[in-house]
Amino acid sequence: MSQSSNQPNRLNEGGRIDRSRRLTFTFNGKRYQGYAGDTLASALLANGVDIVNRSFKYSRARGIVAAGAEEPNALVQLGSSEAAQVPNVRATQQALFDGLVARSTNGWPNVQRDAMSLVGKLGGRFMPPGFYYKTFMAPASMWMTYEKFIRKGAGLGRSPMESDPDTYDHLNQHCDLLVIGAGPAGLAAALTAARGGALVILCDEQEELGGSLLDSRELLDHQPAAQWVQRVVEELAGLDNVTLLPRTTANGYHDHHFVTLHERRTEHLGETAPLVDGVRPSRSRMHRVRAGQVLLATGAHERPLVYAGNDVPGNLLAGAVSTYIRRYGVVPGNKLVLSTSNDHAYRAALDWDDAGREVVAIVDARQAPDGELVEQARARGIRIIEGAAVIEAKGGSRVSGARVATIDAQAFKVTGQAETLACDTIASSGGYSPVIHLASHTGARPTWNDEILGFVPSLVKGVHAAGSARGIHDLAEGLADGVARACEALAALGRTAQAIALPQVDARREGKACALYQVPHEKPTLRAPKQFVDLQNDVTAAAIELATREGFESIEHVKRYTAMGFGTDQGKLGNINGMAIAARCLNRSIPEVGTTVFRPNYTPVTFGAIAGRHCRDLFDPERYTALHQWHVENGAEFEDVGQWKRPWYFPKSVNGKQETMHEAVARECLAVREKVGILDASTLGKIDIQGPDAREFLSRIYTNKWEKLAVGKCRYGLMCRDDGMLMDDGTTSCLGENHFLMTTTTGGAAGVMEWLELWHQTEWPELDVTFTSVTDHWATMTVTGPEARKLLAEITDIDLDRDSFKFMDWREGRVADVPARVFRISFTGELAYEINVQANYALHVWKTLFKHGEKYGLTPYGTETMHVLRAEKGFIIAGQESDGSVTPEDLGMQWAVGYDKPYSWVGKRALSRSDTRRADRKQLVGLKPKDPAVVLEEGAQIVFDPDHAIPMPMVGHVTSSYYSPTLKSGFALAVVKGGHSRMGETVYLPMADGKTHAAEIVSPIFVDPKGERQHV
């Protein structure tokens, strides 16, 4: 084949690119050309670009090694503008588009001549693993300075400094079978399941579905493999029960077959999403898939051999060489040396030869290899050097030669004289490692398989692996395995699937591979030129050997000490080789050493896709009640409570002057105490709880008892964390024998809901109970004050007589002709009714109340007045009177704790600890300032002795403090050490301005201590 004139490594024919669509792109400031269908990596190789980056630690020149997600070196920065910057994109996974702008993430002043490379060359041997721990720890005060330079020197791209112009989204999906990987096994599995009527999602990280078949030399039914792929994909695309997701990476496998899929929707079209019919689609999407069964057809990664100089540009994986030639029409060099331990890698040499380039030699670590591909190479006259390996690559910015010698792999030594072969490309293959990352996310430890010289996944229930993902590399067997595993998955779902007719694949005889991970050198590993195991993190064989010498025997410790498998690489190329080296150094087998734990994400996921639409205004959405517009129209000032906008106070204009907050709150407080007020309490959390075991669950989650609460009754409850500290409070009402409505604090609603689900799902799954958040379903209006009964009686059919409708009862009826639940609950200490109606009818009921309430002086009040009124009654607010260190007893609420319940409850054990029983714990009290005009500062620290030398012993603090128009003085709630036994004592509050306020410890109940008003 001839080469393209303007792209020196491009063939004039072959590959899956579209030569009629020429694309221009820029890399490191220089313009190049490629074709539609190229990746950035293939286009760079076509243009003869050797150095694409500088390495992480030593700043060594690095070139492209692989052709897919396993690429360790070609991490680039994309974007022509500041807003479009995207760091650390793999060039092998970035589709080429016209106008693409990319640059290397490391290298100063440029990637060709990097000043930091001098540090790597001259000081590399002084930078062993953990060198910065050993070198930069003294003086300790300088570490922050050292860290800045270390981070600047490492460099892996940068984040944009301007807002992202694109949008991202999430999509929740369900399916019967999720097939991850659209290679031969994945396509066969998806087709089998689809024809069986299952709902199927098929995803693959590549631009096209087909996997290894897109560049295969194999024939299916005597035709190129790509033709079979096309037929299958077309059939699947035409089925309603199938969703095809190319350019989609399964990046995380979570519990219960919940898998996150990252779809790159428009990243192949431009640096920002283009307009389509006037609409800009999302740039990428996170699919959150809950699958009935999952089939992993994730394939295998080819392992490179570890030899000296294996990081010099021009060192590639053998499979990548074939991919670039057959899929992209790119030959990444002129003279090839292939170093291999298996038959399959021979196709790289055959493809190279087919492209009209010189194969200098195939260096095979095995003695007398005799597979079919080996015979084809011999028939072409290609030199095969047996029982040998490339022990060292020569060259600086590009491979210039390969030193080859015979070796004894088992004894780990060079056995013959080295020969130098002139070449510009070295391809290597040490075998294939099944991609076990997703299976490992489930917590299942992989198992070593000596037959394939790799780990295979251990699978949890409902997960299946097929093809190369479980070590079946033969094409015919892989296709059959995909069908078999799909039938197995459908059977688990109760479905029957018929095995599909598979294409004919000519049998191919392959010789047995030999175990070769690190290639020996004439010099010991610690003295030899650097032999890289993890190219992305600059981890060498010497580093691993040194780690074992320093006492790191666990592979997890070796990983952390050396950084092997860290970051975006996740051990795709280097982990098996690193484990093998550690095993050799420790005189153990690879299974004994084991493997490291793989974690999500499999490949990097943009923060945009993770956030989806939950950004800008939707990052922390503002929530409004059904009455919000009325509040706005009536001049309310608002405060943020959780995500809700709640009316803070309602200032009026008096004689042309706007009331201050103090004036408005005083007016609203007196209206409630003397007449009647109304509060929009819709934001209170509401959780509907149902089930035969609902009572028992409530008794376990609350501190008090619930077994005997009658239908129509309400009860106040305290909820503690498992450390015995108060986390939330509220009332729960019995709507039916097995039906309850729990209310929570506004800010704590989501946390309480999560808390209930956590304990139910993880600790008490045997309890038959369900929880539903109904906060938004119901609007709540609190009518409170001496005139509340008269007002409500005018618009309801409910009997409000004090003996028929008692305090802490609830009734169902109609209010303003709207079905309603009315609860006689008070947070003010006054006669009060909480009216709950379906939220859409709230405004009608609210306006009706005001129409009838005018003669009673009905006054709207906000959260500030609510705080004053409840504090006057000594009612707590969780998170204000409690701060995560307060127990129910500290609050004087022993009456709400049921120690004699027949079973344990959350917090019971902790409340029996000696620490929680101390008499000198901080306890809730009231504070009455000696000067009635003083309003103490919330958070102010309390001392017993104002004359004590600084630092003074702090004995408590103010939790709530207000001016009371009812008391005509300031008052406060506080927690004070041993406060319950200090009634009548004087405490002091030193202030920052030098003043000291004196206050008397009193009961926290300032108004109506007997509670008579709420019982009228």
Side-chain angles (χ1 to χ4, degrees):
M1 298 182 187
S2 60
Q3 66 185 39
S4 174
S5 58
N6 63 339
Q7 298 176 42
N9 289 337
R10 178 81 72 182
L11 300 175
N12 279 333
E13 58 185 33
R16 299 178 62 79
I17 57 173
D18 183 355
R19 288 177 173 80
S20 67
R21 293 175 56 199
R22 194 181 296 270
L23 306 175
T24 300
F25 69 101
T26 303
F27 181 68
N28 286 337
K30 186 175 180 180
R31 292 171 64 86
Y32 298 98
Q33 289 189 334
Y35 296 112
D38 265 324
T39 61
L40 176 57
S42 66
L44 288 171
L45 288 172
N47 284 276
V49 177
D50 296 326
I51 302 176
V52 295
N53 221 337
R54 287 283 170 166
S55 71
F56 173 76
K57 182 176 177 181
Y58 301 115
S59 289
R60 290 167 68 101
R62 290 286 166 82
I64 293 166
V65 170
E70 69 274 27
E71 170 58 40
N73 295 332
L75 303 181
V76 300
Q77 182 91 18
L78 293 184
S80 63
S81 65
E82 184 58 37
Q85 294 299 305
V86 182
N88 303 326
V89 176
R90 279 177 167 81
T92 50
Q93 291 191 295
Q94 176 58 55
L96 195 67
F97 56 81
D98 199 42
L100 182 148
V101 175
R103 64 181 181 279
S104 304
T105 58
N106 212 351
W108 183 86
N110 58 63
V111 76
Q112 299 292 330
R113 295 177 178 82
D114 180 25
M116 283 296 292
S117 66
L118 293 175
V119 177
K121 286 180 181 179
L122 300 177
R125 63 176 179 160
F126 301 110
M127 295 190 287
F131 79 95
Y132 39 87
Y133 296 127
K134 303 170 183 176
T135 308
F136 296 111
M137 298 312 293
S141 60
M142 288 294 292
W143 169 249
M144 298 301 289
T145 302
Y146 297 147
E147 186 182 30
K148 290 179 182 178
F149 287 100
I150 291 171
R151 291 189 180 279
K152 185 176 179 63
L156 275 178
R158 66 176 185 85
S159 299
M161 303 300 289
E162 295 181 5
S163 296
D164 191 337
D166 285 308
T167 59
Y168 305 82
D169 58 24
H170 294 163
L171 183 63
N172 297 320
Q173 298 204 71
H174 291 79
C175 64
D176 296 320
L177 179 64
L178 171 62
V179 181
I180 301 172
L187 287 174
L191 187 60
T192 301
R195 288 181 179 177
L199 191 62
V200 177
I201 295 177
L202 173 63
C203 68
D204 192 278
E205 64 189 359
Q206 297 192 60
E207 295 291 313
E208 299 178 83
L209 305 180
S212 62
L213 296 179
L214 297 175
D215 55 66
S216 176
R217 297 176 64 87
E218 304 277 4
L219 298 178
L220 300 183
D221 288 337
H222 309 293
Q223 294 179 329
Q227 293 186 17
W228 181 81
V229 170
Q230 183 178 350
R231 291 196 300 271
V232 172
V233 171
E234 286 177 353
E235 180 177 343
L236 291 172
L239 297 174
D240 293 336
N241 59 323
V242 176
T243 300
L244 300 180
L245 295 174
R247 293 184 295 277
T248 302
T249 303
N251 58 287
Y253 197 130
H254 310 277
D255 291 339
H256 307 296
H257 312 321
F258 179 72
V259 184
T260 49
L261 310 178
H262 176 219
E263 180 188 8
R264 304 179 301 279
R265 301 190 69 207
T266 62
E267 293 177 13
H268 60 298
L269 300 177
E271 65 179 28
T272 58
L275 288 172
V276 179
D277 296 329
V279 177
R280 196 179 300 277
S282 59
R283 184 161 181 79
S284 63
R285 170 177 291 165
M286 186 70 77
H287 297 261
R288 301 188 293 197
V289 179
R290 183 77 70 180
Q293 301 277 297
V294 177
L295 193 148
L296 303 176
T298 47
H301 288 146
E302 189 171 24
R303 289 192 301 270
L305 293 173
V306 177
Y307 50 87
N310 62 335
D311 68 322
V312 176
N315 285 281
L316 289 90
L317 291 171
V321 168
S322 288
T323 297
Y324 286 118
I325 293 173
R326 299 186 63 83
R327 187 168 174 183
Y328 301 106
V330 173
V331 189
N334 292 293
K335 301 175 70 174
L336 173 72
V337 171
L338 170 65
S339 186
T340 182
S341 64
N342 60 84
D343 279 12
H344 196 259
Y346 274 69
R347 74 180 189 130
L350 299 176
D351 291 334
W352 193 277
D353 186 60
D354 288 341
R357 305 293 173 91
E358 180 184 354
V359 179
V360 177
I362 297 174
V363 188
D364 197 321
R366 301 170 296 176
Q367 297 289 345
D370 62 350
E372 190 174 317
L373 292 176
V374 178
E375 292 174 357
Q376 289 183 30
R378 285 198 178 104
R380 297 189 185 199
I382 297 174
R383 182 187 178 191
I384 299 176
I385 305 174
E386 300 175 1
V390 171
I391 65 169
E392 185 177 348
K394 306 299 289 184
S397 59
R398 175 77 193 201
V399 167
S400 61
R403 294 186 67 238
V404 176
T406 55
I407 63 170
D408 185 334
Q410 191 168 0
F412 191 65
K413 65 179 182 180
V414 175
T415 58
Q417 187 69 31
E419 174 188 2
T420 300
L421 303 177
C423 64
D424 61 6
T425 306
I426 300 174
S428 72
S429 176
Y432 294 84
S433 301
V435 178
I436 58 174
H437 296 66
L438 290 174
S440 299
H441 291 176
T442 66
R445 283 282 186 173
T447 305
W448 180 259
N449 185 325
D450 268 326
E451 287 297 313
I452 66 164
L453 301 174
F455 283 98
V456 293
S458 297
L459 304 174
V460 298
K461 185 177 180 181
V463 183
H464 313 265
S468 289
R470 69 186 193 105
I472 299 175
H473 302 315
D474 178 80
L475 178 55
E477 293 178 9
L479 288 166
D481 193 48
V483 173
R485 299 290 77 76
C487 292
E488 185 180 273
L490 264 61
L493 294 169
R495 292 177 174 272
T496 302
Q498 298 295 325
I500 64 171
L502 292 171
Q504 180 183 343
V505 182
D506 293 336
R508 172 171 290 168
R509 179 173 51 85
E510 286 195 2
K512 186 176 178 60
C514 75
L516 181 61
Y517 308 99
Q518 179 188 359
V519 177
H521 194 273
E522 297 104 330
K523 297 178 181 178
T525 299
L526 292 173
R527 299 290 184 184
K530 285 182 170 56
Q531 303 162 302
F532 285 91
V533 177
D534 184 331
L535 291 162
Q536 184 172 111
N537 296 299
D538 264 356
V539 179
T540 63
I544 295 172
E545 185 169 317
L546 182 62
T548 61
R549 287 190 179 191
E550 293 190 12
F552 294 97
E553 297 185 0
S554 164
I555 194 63
E556 291 287 1
H557 293 163
V558 171
K559 169 185 175 178
R560 280 153 183 78
Y561 192 56
T562 64
M564 179 183 74
F566 268 24
T568 70
D569 182 71
Q570 286 292 295
K572 294 179 180 68
L573 293 187
N575 257 31
I576 298 296
N577 288 333
M579 293 163 202
I581 294 168
R584 176 178 58 78
C585 295
L586 294 169
N587 197 28
R588 297 177 185 172
S589 66
I590 295 178
E592 288 174 328
V593 169
T595 184
T596 57
V597 174
F598 299 107
R599 298 179 176 88
N601 291 311
Y602 172 66
T603 53
V605 178
T606 173
F607 283 121
I610 294 172
R613 298 299 174 96
H614 305 293
C615 59
R616 302 184 179 94
D617 292 341
L618 297 178
F619 175 70
D620 191 18
E622 289 183 357
R623 300 176 71 180
Y624 306 110
T625 72
L627 302 170
H628 181 79
Q629 189 58 37
W630 187 94
H631 302 322
V632 172
E633 292 170 357
N634 284 269
E637 294 290 337
F638 292 90
E639 72 166 335
D640 295 325
V641 183
Q643 294 179 323
W644 292 95
K645 288 288 186 183
R646 294 197 69 177
W648 190 11
Y649 61 96
F650 290 85
K652 282 187 174 182
S653 180
V654 180
N655 298 324
K657 182 181 178 183
Q658 188 82 350
E659 286 180 321
T660 64
M661 183 178 77
H662 175 76
E663 293 167 339
V665 169
R667 174 179 51 78
E668 292 170 10
C669 285
L670 292 175
V672 173
R673 293 286 183 221
E674 298 172 0
K675 296 180 181 179
V676 61
I678 187 168
L679 171 76
D680 181 358
S682 303
T683 62
L684 288 175
K686 307 174 193 72
I687 301 173
D688 189 280
I689 302 174
Q690 299 189 45
D693 296 320
R695 289 179 183 274
E696 181 173 342
F697 183 89
L698 288 171
S699 293
R700 291 188 185 188
I701 207 75
Y702 275 130
T703 61
N704 48 344
K705 300 178 182 179
W706 297 87
E707 292 90 342
K708 296 181 181 179
L709 185 66
V711 176
K713 295 291 184 178
C714 313
R715 182 167 293 169
Y716 176 76
L718 298 176
M719 196 176 295
C720 289
R721 299 196 310 255
D722 41 2
D723 62 358
M725 304 303 153
L726 183 72
M727 65 171 284
D728 205 83
D729 71 332
T731 58
T732 294
S733 306
C734 185
L735 306 185
E737 190 58 34
N738 299 318
H739 189 187
F740 296 83
L741 180 68
M742 175 187 288
T743 62
T744 74
T745 56
T746 295
V752 171
M753 182 69 178
E754 184 178 356
W755 186 249
L756 303 183
E757 289 286 7
L758 174 69
W759 282 89
H760 183 227
Q761 293 182 30
T762 64
E763 301 299 326
W764 309 319
E766 72 280 2
L767 297 185
D768 186 359
V769 60
T770 60
F771 317 98
T772 305
S773 174
V774 294
T775 302
D776 292 295
H777 300 188
W778 295 88
T780 303
M781 294 155 276
T782 300
V783 178
T784 180
E787 305 288 353
R789 181 180 285 121
K790 293 179 182 178
L791 168 57
L792 183 56
E794 293 188 14
I795 61 171
T796 185
D797 60 0
I798 298 173
D799 183 359
L800 302 181
D801 181 77
R802 62 170 291 174
D803 295 322
S804 300
F805 194 174
K806 298 179 180 180
F807 180 63
M808 297 303 280
D809 285 355
W810 77 273
R811 295 290 182 266
E812 201 162 40
R814 302 182 76 83
V815 176
D817 291 325
V818 173
R821 292 173 179 164
V822 179
F823 301 81
R824 192 171 166 192
I825 299 168
S826 179
F827 199 46
T828 64
E830 301 292 335
L831 172 66
Y833 299 94
E834 290 187 2
I835 304 166
N836 284 250
V837 298
Q838 203 276 338
N840 291 337
Y841 297 103
L843 187 58
H844 163 72
V845 175
W846 183 270
K847 288 182 175 180
T848 303
L849 283 164
F850 271 92
K851 179 180 178 181
H852 289 260
E854 186 175 355
K855 57 180 170 290
Y856 300 109
L858 180 63
T859 301
Y861 66 95
T863 54
E864 189 67 18
T865 295
M866 177 192 73
H867 282 296
V868 176
L869 297 172
R870 65 89 194 169
E872 289 174 342
K873 285 294 296 177
F875 295 152
I876 69 163
I877 286 186
Q880 192 156 336
E881 273 61 58
S882 65
D883 61 358
S885 65
V886 176
T887 69
E889 280 93 343
D890 296 336
L891 297 170
M893 293 183 175
Q894 297 88 335
W895 53 268
V897 181
Y899 284 107
D900 59 345
K901 287 192 280 188
Y903 34 72
S904 186
W905 37 271
V906 179
K908 179 180 179 181
R909 182 188 300 178
L911 289 175
S912 65
R913 292 186 296 115
S914 59
D915 178 68
T916 60
R917 313 301 299 177
R918 289 187 293 106
D920 64 343
R921 288 182 60 82
K922 291 182 180 180
Q923 297 166 342
L924 182 69
V925 297
L927 292 183
K928 184 178 179 182
K930 297 290 187 176
D931 181 352
V934 169
V935 178
L936 302 173
E937 289 187 13
E938 290 186 352
Q941 294 296 309
I942 299 170
V943 301
F944 291 145
D945 180 4
D947 298 321
H948 193 286
I950 294 175
M952 295 179 175
M954 304 297 180
V955 297
H957 65 276
V958 176
T959 61
S960 298
S961 181
Y962 309 97
Y963 178 82
S964 167
T966 302
L967 302 173
K968 294 182 172 53
S969 70
F971 74 103
L973 299 178
V975 287
V976 176
K977 286 185 176 181
H980 292 165
S981 62
R982 292 181 176 273
M983 292 295 159
E985 293 185 11
T986 299
V987 292
Y988 302 90
L989 298 93
M991 307 308 295
D993 61 4
K995 294 180 181 178
T996 298
H997 299 302
E1000 180 186 354
I1001 296 179
V1002 297
S1003 165
I1005 305 174
F1006 292 88
V1007 171
D1008 187 25
K1010 294 183 179 180
E1012 294 171 342
R1013 294 186 186 182
Q1014 64 192 14
H1015 287 90
V1016 296

